[in-house]
Amino acid sequence: MNIALFLEMAADAAPDRIGLVCDGQRWSYARLLAGARGAAALIRDSGCSHVALLDESSEAAAMALFGAAIAGVPYVPLNYRLADADLAALLQRITPALIIGDVARVERLCPSADNKVLARGDFVTAALDAAADAPIEADEGDGVAIQLFTSGTTAAPKAAILRHANLVSYILGTVEFGAAPEEDAALVSVPPYHIAGIAALLSSIYALRRILLLPAFDPAAWLDLAAGERASNAFVVPTMLSRIIETVDKGVQPDLSNLRAVAYGGGKMPLELIQRALDLFPDTGFTNAYGLTETSSTVALLGPDEHRAAHAATDPAARARLASVGRPLPTVEIEIRDEDGRCLPAGEPGEIYVRGDQVSGEYRERSALDADGWFPTRDAGYIDAEGYLFLSGRADDVIVRGGENISPGEIEDVMLALPAIAEAAAVAIPSAEWGEAVGLILVVRDGHEAPADEELKQVIRARLRSSRVPERVLFAKSLPYNEMGKLLRREIKKLFAA
Amino acid sequence: MKPGTKLKSAVCDTEVMVIRSGTGAIECGGSAMGEAKPDAVGTPAADFSAGTLMGKRYVDAAGSFELLCVKPGKGSLSVDGVALSPKDAKPLPASD
């Protein structure tokens, strides 16, 4: 199995149909495949061990992804927002590589004669030129299609690997070939080094859904592209949705009448934000997708009907479902386990374990799968009586106060329900008495007064229980997030240590 | 048969990729499929001429065989003379 199959099938079934639009240029499936085959020839000739992309999204990302697959060499999209020292360390780990994108930066950070570095335009031209050669047979190499460095919010980046078999299984299990009508188009604004950005290319190409690439997210540009190209689908991270809504609230009124489906994931969606989005776009179906790099993207989803039902419900339990990430895919199993690995019943919080053919759970250094193929996600959560999965943060973020496990999410949710609070984060801080205690950091909403410590403690004591009451409360102008909107808890811990 | 193996029909344009396979002969149009196309292409047997559809997955009743049609043709698929049927996948909302 080789993911190149998806582009080959698309080019066979609809060679002249436009598969990708970027910066006003339109690429048919046949031309994308020609570029990928040419890229494969370049990759084989280079003798490299990895194909890296250090660039924003463009047609080059699709050609590199499928070209690497045909050549049987792992594709490694890199985070161009990393600091020099961090990026240099990653480049060292993949040499000798064929690297596409920022030539000057690569040569400055990792000057090695073993690397071949090409600017985006030069790569695309060279690939299309090389495409005239006889089509080459796809080779799986060692079976690894993609190597993605994890974002490293808790530790140094790990090299997660996804095999062709994982990704093929994910796509065949979730997408029907050629299912998209010709007028459909999916707006992709997540960066190419994010699993959602890669999954979007694979899913949309297999569905024959035209991809609209937005290389750098900006809410006004997103709205322009969605309206101008009549996008029918989009994937956003919560931060993007928030900024899109802010822009609409400022009076921008784009024609989004074709936008039938918005999927979101990659971070916690604030309840208030999704409720606002459901009201603002009453004819759009929203899908919450939960997944990880190590699981080839989505493993559970909350679909459009479930969103509307929860939003319209009056019963608190049914309304609460809007905060769920939904139910497992039919091809995936999910269990909640305690610290000793015992499977927990409905409603009991613990660590989320996932199993399925799409789950790699594998790093360059080791596989994290247990003997039965289960992957410990390090995400904490629980499954309700109806089988809906709820996340409560990273297992590593749990605050253990005097032997009691406290999920930061429960405290943060109570704080965010207060009108004066815009952002909230709870972290573990050292405590002589309890081992760990709760540290709470808050951002006050513009135009509001910071509530008194005693008032906050009173609210938490009343809504939760006394063990959740913070030992220390700090106020900040903003909280530290990475570029995908993930809260950097290790940075917050430093604020308490200071 | 190894997953990922591509098989060609001896009687039509059909090509499939093996996703899962048990023991038995995979056929199209009533004739065994192979990794290479025979020089002389035959005709599909009357009982196995309903055709294959691009991108459809075909399975046996026991669930031991699963084939993905990567090129459609006039013949239809079987294992040891027993017809395979298209796999009904419940459509999922696009999630990425």
Side-chain angles (χ1 to χ4, degrees):
Chain A
M1 299 204 217
N2 189 311
I3 55 167
L5 177 76
F6 303 140
L7 182 56
E8 289 163 359
M9 286 172 72
D12 243 3
D16 301 325
R17 196 152 140 181
I18 296 302
L20 189 144
V21 179
C22 184
D23 285 333
Q25 283 200 70
R26 312 177 87 77
W27 298 82
S28 68
Y29 291 111
R31 205 161 150 74
L32 286 174
L33 180 61
R37 285 183 169 156
L42 297 180
I43 293 161
R44 282 200 185 156
D45 289 348
S46 76
C48 63
S49 64
H50 296 84
V51 175
L53 183 81
L54 184 64
D55 195 11
E56 293 177 343
S57 279
S58 75
E59 65 281 0
M63 289 179 193
L65 165 67
F66 289 106
I70 295 170
V73 173
Y75 171 62
V76 191
L78 294 167
N79 183 350
Y80 45 81
R81 291 192 177 94
L82 287 177
D84 279 355
D86 296 333
L87 182 61
L90 299 187
L91 287 168
Q92 296 290 347
R93 287 164 71 175
I94 58 166
T95 303
L98 186 146
I99 306 165
I100 301 141
D102 194 337
V103 177
R105 196 163 179 221
V106 173
E107 285 173 355
R108 181 164 54 82
L109 296 179
C110 185
S112 163
D114 297 333
N115 290 331
K116 186 174 166 65
V117 194
L118 288 168
R120 180 201 298 177
D122 295 340
F123 166 73
V124 171
T125 307
L128 290 169
D129 285 348
D133 301 342
I136 50 177
E137 268 303 303
D139 172 354
E140 273 163 48
D142 62 356
V144 177
I146 290 164
Q147 177 175 324
L148 279 177
F149 289 104
T150 58
S151 55
T153 46
T154 48
K158 283 183 285 193
I161 57 177
L162 294 172
R163 296 180 177 275
H164 286 281
N166 301 132
L167 293 160
V168 168
S169 162
Y170 172 61
I171 296 299
L172 294 183
T174 55
V175 186
E176 198 65 16
F177 178 74
E182 189 151 4
E183 60 276 15
D184 272 20
L187 204 172
V188 179
S189 49
V190 280
Y193 55 79
H194 193 277
I195 182 62
I198 294 168
L201 292 181
L202 298 175
S203 298
S204 295
I205 285 173
Y206 197 60
L208 294 182
R209 184 179 292 115
R210 185 163 70 257
I211 298 161
L212 310 172
L213 283 183
L214 183 63
F217 177 80
D218 166 82
W222 190 94
L223 287 163
D224 274 352
L225 187 60
E229 290 280 347
R230 301 195 53 73
S232 57
N233 295 65
F235 178 90
V236 289
V237 298
T239 320
M240 291 176 184
L241 186 62
S242 162
R243 294 185 57 202
I244 291 163
I245 289 178
E246 267 172 32
T247 308
V248 171
D249 283 344
K250 280 181 197 148
V252 178
Q253 286 198 321
D255 174 16
L256 297 180
S257 55
N258 219 36
L259 189 65
R260 286 196 320 269
V262 172
Y264 62 89
K268 189 181 159 105
M269 172 63 85
L271 206 49
E272 187 184 70
L273 178 58
I274 187 63
Q275 285 168 340
R276 176 87 176 93
L278 286 161
D279 290 334
L280 195 61
F281 304 108
D283 301 320
T284 301
F286 286 85
T287 297
N288 186 354
Y290 165 62
L292 297 96
T293 301
E294 296 91 328
T295 62
S296 305
S297 193
T298 311
V299 289
L301 51 83
L302 187 76
D305 296 344
E306 294 163 313
H307 272 81
R308 292 291 167 194
H311 192 44
T314 46
D315 168 49
R319 271 193 85 75
R321 205 150 285 157
L322 206 48
S324 159
V325 294
R327 292 200 250 215
L329 298 181
T331 46
V332 164
E333 297 170 272
I334 296 185
E335 279 183 6
I336 307 295
R337 299 192 190 175
D338 69 11
E339 280 165 13
D340 301 321
R342 277 186 301 252
C343 193
L344 292 168
E348 297 258 348
E351 184 178 351
I352 300 169
Y353 277 65
V354 186
R355 180 164 74 173
D357 289 341
Q358 72 182 67
V359 177
S360 118
E362 208 181 338
Y363 306 97
R364 270 294 171 207
E365 300 74 19
R366 64 183 184 100
S367 169
L369 298 184
D370 72 10
D372 300 316
W374 288 93
F375 172 61
T377 61
R378 302 305 294 147
D379 277 342
Y382 67 94
I383 296 175
D384 76 5
E386 307 281 321
Y388 287 87
L389 177 65
F390 290 76
L391 304 185
S392 48
R394 294 293 286 171
D396 312 270
D397 297 335
V398 167
I399 302 158
V400 187
R401 182 182 182 273
E404 191 177 355
N405 284 356
I406 301 171
S407 154
E410 54 180 319
I411 300 167
E412 291 161 8
D413 287 346
V414 168
M415 288 293 102
L416 291 171
L418 301 176
I421 302 301
E423 294 172 54
V427 295
I429 56 171
S431 160
E433 188 179 2
W434 301 101
E436 285 180 352
V438 178
L440 182 62
I441 187 161
L442 301 168
V443 177
V444 176
R445 201 178 288 283
D446 286 346
H448 286 264
E449 289 284 318
D453 278 15
E454 209 35 59
E455 186 187 339
L456 294 168
K457 289 179 181 178
Q458 187 53 44
V459 170
I460 291 168
R461 199 173 292 121
R463 293 281 304 279
L464 300 167
R465 53 182 120 160
S466 57
S467 60
R468 271 65 176 167
V469 171
E471 190 158 287
R472 285 180 66 199
V473 180
L474 295 180
F475 289 91
K477 283 204 165 53
S478 62
L479 298 185
Y481 295 93
N482 76 4
E483 73 286 353
M484 293 298 289
K486 265 191 195 169
L487 188 63
L488 297 172
R489 290 182 191 270
R490 59 170 180 212
E491 298 297 324
I492 293 170
K493 286 185 182 174
K494 284 184 198 160
L495 297 176
F496 282 97
Chain B
M1 197 74 64
K2 194 170 157 259
T5 306
K6 277 193 193 163
L7 297 175
K8 296 182 163 84
S9 172
V11 299
C12 69
D13 293 335
T14 298
E15 284 182 28
V16 298
M17 191 189 79
V18 176
I19 295 172
R20 214 181 8 254
S21 111
T23 328
I26 299 172
E27 303 139 347
C28 174
S31 301
M33 300 185 82
E35 293 189 45
K37 193 112 188 141
D39 295 336
V41 174
T43 47
D47 291 350
F48 295 103
S49 59
T52 50
L53 293 172
M54 179 75 164
K56 274 277 170 213
R57 284 182 286 165
Y58 294 87
V59 289
D60 65 337
S64 34
F65 284 86
E66 184 168 340
L67 308 174
L68 172 70
C69 173
V70 298
K71 246 192 190 66
K74 293 203 173 78
S76 47
L77 301 167
S78 55
V79 169
D80 291 336
V82 181
L84 301 185
S85 46
K87 183 174 184 171
D88 285 322
K90 202 175 133 229
L92 292 169
S95 65
D96 43 37

